[in-house]
Amino acid sequence: RIPPSLTGVGAKLKPGWLRDVLVNHRSVRPYMLTRMPQFGKANIGHLPSLFRQTDALPDIEFATWPDRKEAKERGLELVGNRGLNCVACHTYKYKTSDTMPAVDLTEMAERLEKKWFYHYMLDPQKFSPNTVMPSFWPGGRPIRADLEGTPHEQIEAIWQYLEDGRQARTPRGVIQEPLIIVVGDEARMLRRKYPGVGKRGIGVGYPGGVNLVYDAEQMRLGGLWQGGFVDAVAVWTGQGSGNVRPLGRVHPFGAGPDLDDRHQPWVVNEGRPPQHRFRGYRLDEKQRPTFLYSVGEVTIEDFFHEQAPDDSEARVLKRSVTIASPSDRPGLRFRIASGKQIERLDASTFEIDQGFVVRVPPDASIAIVDEPDGDVAEGQQPGGKRIELQFDCRANEPLHWEWEYVWK
């Protein structure tokens, strides 16, 4: 990130703070790697007074609140996530937000001139054209009509709150309450960023306590877990740029697409496989998605659904894959599962990292092979193994397989 501009700094910063920055290496942006060199008090100690003489802002009328306590209460409300949501970006008492960090709220009144604060709040882009901070009162009218007070009254309330510095009360949103998505009789989906999958993750929670995250960037099953679905608070509040938090221990699968050429696979990296195209998904009557994608002219339908097992203590997620092509496509493989340790229990049953079992069709051509030595998904250990289905696709003869992931 680029350091802030020096334009107007004499009107922006209080003399004492500016002197501390120039002489004593004071900083409020620990997230910024760039640091201003120190030139010594003898060389630049006189600059704060010169900046102050050079920079000036038009006079502005400050609002007044008859009750200072009421003003602070209103300011506390405004900076929280039910007001203007300043805490979505700004640090509070050294606690950074989950988004792009911004300067600490509890140091602002110590640093900034009140006149500059008023002017900036009314028109942030005028002072910093590239800022992501929104204008809350464009044209002098509040964008939140439900919040009481004129623009100047709201700004004054925020300033009164900020003047308490480190003693300022904690706004709503700094301590985030969980936002749990509960699965009932139908599947629930959340398309956001997941650990190890990225921004094109599609999480699905199924009835019965089985869950997955699908990677729409690389067309792969990204991970499985049992138990609760997800806590969505980090992606549902603020700027929504955090990670979804699965409510269980996720077993991550290897990076790279599930379907690929067996002899010339794509070299795994963080991008999208060049021949793969995600085609979206369709939902059944229980809101369960069938993921659709293609590899060249080969089309794939990938469907998961919960299944009531014979053993009532087990949880089962069944996967159905259909692959078709208008022409012969030999030498393909499809990843069924991956892990650090894979133990073959019998001809069609495999145990993955002592966490769950995979049951495959007894007549399927199955191999256990090494995962690529390239990049791996977050949480996936290098040097892992995978179970893959090896096959040839004949022209206009769709192939269909089903297998199960079982937790005891």
Side-chain angles (χ1 to χ4, degrees):
R1 294 172 63 179
I2 300 174
S5 172
L6 285 175
T7 302
V9 71
K12 173 183 178 180
L13 297 179
K14 292 180 177 178
W17 185 275
L18 184 53
R19 187 174 296 106
D20 272 352
V21 172
L22 294 174
V23 177
N24 299 324
H25 210 180
R26 191 77 181 266
S27 174
V28 293
R29 295 176 174 85
Y31 48 82
M32 188 172 289
L33 298 180
T34 304
R35 287 290 176 264
M36 189 182 74
Q38 296 297 290
F39 299 100
K41 182 178 180 180
N43 297 311
I44 60 174
H46 61 291
L47 287 181
S49 61
L50 294 179
F51 284 147
R52 195 167 183 83
Q53 294 173 31
T54 302
D55 299 326
L57 287 171
D59 289 336
I60 194 167
E61 184 177 352
F62 299 146
T64 58
W65 282 78
D67 187 331
R68 183 176 173 83
K69 182 178 179 181
E70 182 183 352
K72 291 180 183 292
E73 289 289 339
R74 182 61 56 81
L76 174 65
E77 176 189 359
L78 287 168
V79 301
N81 62 5
R82 292 187 179 179
L84 303 180
N85 204 15
C86 307
V87 295
C89 298
H90 284 280
T91 299
Y92 171 79
K93 290 185 181 179
Y94 306 112
K95 184 183 185 304
T96 59
S97 69
D98 293 327
T99 63
M100 179 185 295
V103 293
D104 198 317
L105 291 168
T106 58
E107 290 183 318
M108 287 187 180
E110 181 185 359
R111 297 172 49 242
L112 303 177
E113 293 286 0
K114 185 175 180 179
K115 181 192 291 188
W116 184 91
F117 181 78
Y118 261 72
H119 279 284
Y120 184 84
M121 292 291 285
L122 289 169
D123 191 358
Q125 284 73 30
K126 178 180 178 181
F127 291 84
S128 182
N130 295 321
T131 184
V132 297
M133 179 166 167
S135 175
F136 296 109
W137 306 278
R141 302 179 64 180
I143 60 173
R144 288 285 304 274
D146 57 315
L147 299 175
E148 296 181 7
T150 66
H152 282 218
E153 288 172 342
Q154 292 181 1
I155 294 171
E156 181 64 27
I158 294 172
W159 181 260
Q160 294 290 335
Y161 165 77
L162 295 177
E163 281 195 319
D164 282 347
R166 299 292 185 208
Q167 305 305 314
R169 291 166 55 194
T170 304
R172 291 186 64 93
V174 172
I175 302 173
Q176 295 183 334
E177 298 178 1
L179 182 59
I180 306 300
I181 297 181
V182 178
V183 178
D185 295 333
E186 296 182 344
R188 301 292 299 274
M189 293 179 59
L190 180 61
R191 299 187 60 170
R192 295 306 289 263
K193 184 180 179 183
Y194 287 76
V197 172
K199 295 180 179 179
R200 298 195 71 194
I202 305 175
V204 188
Y206 296 86
V210 288
N211 315 276
L212 65 83
V213 57
Y214 190 85
D215 185 351
E217 180 74 6
Q218 295 195 345
M219 276 62 72
R220 69 183 180 101
L221 176 60
L224 296 171
W225 70 98
Q226 61 173 329
F229 182 33
V230 296
D231 175 7
V233 66
V235 299
W236 210 261
T237 59
Q239 292 181 344
S241 61
N243 279 327
V244 176
R245 182 174 69 88
L247 298 178
R249 183 176 178 272
V250 178
H251 179 90
F253 282 27
D258 283 342
L259 178 67
D260 209 345
D261 189 287
R262 189 162 73 245
H263 306 294
Q264 294 181 318
W266 177 61
V267 178
V268 175
N269 60 30
E270 295 182 353
R272 182 183 302 177
Q275 300 300 317
H276 290 61
R277 294 291 181 271
F278 186 62
R279 306 295 184 184
Y281 53 83
R282 63 172 180 264
L283 301 176
D284 70 1
E285 69 282 356
K286 290 290 187 179
Q287 302 302 301
R288 296 172 297 206
T290 297
F291 299 107
L292 311 171
Y293 63 99
S294 61
V295 184
E297 60 183 5
V298 180
T299 60
I300 302 92
E301 297 187 2
D302 198 353
F303 176 65
F304 300 79
H305 66 95
E306 74 287 353
Q307 179 172 300
D310 296 333
D311 181 354
S312 61
E313 294 183 358
R315 287 170 168 160
V316 179
L317 185 65
K318 191 169 185 177
R319 187 176 190 180
S320 303
V321 175
T322 301
I323 299 175
S325 175
S327 59
D328 288 351
R329 187 67 168 82
L332 296 177
R333 60 89 169 159
F334 195 98
R335 180 198 290 117
I336 293 176
S338 59
K340 186 66 176 177
Q341 295 180 333
I342 298 178
E343 181 182 357
R344 192 164 199 157
L345 303 181
D346 57 40
S348 58
T349 308
F350 301 82
E351 186 176 48
I352 313 298
D353 292 338
Q354 299 182 340
F356 63 95
V357 168
V358 179
R359 297 173 183 159
V360 302
D363 58 345
S365 177
I366 299 295
I368 299 177
V369 300
D370 293 333
E371 284 282 24
D373 292 331
D375 296 340
V376 295
E378 180 181 336
Q380 182 74 30
Q381 296 296 321
K385 304 284 186 180
R386 71 167 177 262
I387 306 171
E388 69 177 29
L389 180 67
Q390 299 179 345
F391 60 96
D392 300 325
C393 191
R394 303 298 183 188
N396 301 313
E397 296 181 7
L399 299 171
H400 182 79
W401 294 278
E402 293 184 348
W403 58 86
E404 297 174 343
Y405 304 98
V406 184
W407 293 264
K408 293 291 186 179

